[in-house]
Amino acid sequence: YSEFLGFKMKVTKKANKNVVKSHICDKAAKRIKMQMKEQIKAIQKPADNGQQMVEVFKFNAMVRGVHNYYAIATEVNSDFRKIAWQVNHTITSRLKTVISKQGSMGKKSQDYKKYGKSDQIRYIGMAWMLPLAYVQHKNPMSKKRKANIYTPQGRAEVHDNLAITNRWI
């Protein structure tokens, strides 16, 4: 394996082709696990009474962030399943008095589109905790080749992409 920007990559043969298998590197997985456990401790013992919801929102922001960053790894689901097993053990042991499986996310929330079908969602009061293991591989999108700054046509393409289509905004 070669490590680069938190990913472990390896080229393997598959049906007479070379394909890349990528994982989350071990150091990044350990860092994610430690940060999530620290955030769970902050949820368990908030500084103020109203601070617990803020800490849940921070936890959700951290989950969204690592999901968005590591979603391009081909084996992201199995890697996050291993991390989530340990983090979920911490959640159940530290938050067993306040956490519930019953609650409502609300179909209008942005999280409902991505996480609404998961049965791993937990609730603290009216706030939901996003599941760490509920992530799927996403193909990385590349830029258009014709959009570059070195040719007149490419510069026109770049400027067209930057143009505001709705002037009333």
Side-chain angles (χ1 to χ4, degrees), residues 17-131:
K17 285 184 175 180
N18 290 329
V19 294
V20 174
K21 280 194 164 201
S22 55
H23 292 269
I24 299 170
C25 77
D26 300 331
K27 194 162 70 170
K30 188 175 182 180
R31 181 184 47 81
I32 292 168
K33 193 180 345 172
M34 292 308 295
Q35 286 177 343
M36 293 297 168
K37 286 182 177 183
E38 288 297 320
Q39 192 60 35
I40 292 166
K41 288 178 190 175
I43 293 170
Q44 180 189 17
K45 297 180 181 179
D48 296 331
N49 288 339
Q51 191 72 11
Q52 190 172 31
M53 293 300 166
V54 173
E55 298 299 336
V56 172
F57 295 149
K58 284 181 185 178
F59 177 85
N60 289 343
M62 291 169 68
V63 169
R64 280 187 215 101
V66 294
H67 281 183
N68 289 336
Y69 184 76
Y70 290 107
I72 60 173
T74 56
E75 304 295 323
V76 67
N77 194 311
S78 61
D79 293 339
F80 268 103
R81 188 176 60 234
K82 292 172 189 171
I83 296 169
W85 186 83
Q86 295 172 340
V87 171
N88 287 340
H89 179 71
T90 305
I91 288 173
T92 55
S93 64
R94 288 192 171 268
L95 303 176
K96 62 185 166 194
T97 59
V98 293
I99 202 158
S100 165
K101 289 185 179 183
Q102 305 298 325
S104 175
M105 183 180 276
K107 293 185 178 184
K108 291 185 178 181
S109 74
Q110 292 290 345
D111 291 333
Y112 184 78
K113 295 175 187 173
K114 191 170 184 179
Y115 302 101
K117 294 181 180 178
S118 174
D119 60 346
Q120 301 171 9
I121 295 175
R122 301 293 179 257
Y123 297 90
I124 295 179
M126 296 299 292
W128 54 84
M129 292 181 70
L130 296 178

Side-chain angles (χ1 to χ4, degrees), residues 151-166:
T151 64
Q153 297 86 6
R155 285 191 291 274
E157 181 72 26
V158 169
H159 288 291
D160 289 342
N161 291 340
L162 293 175
I164 299 172
T165 55
N166 296 330

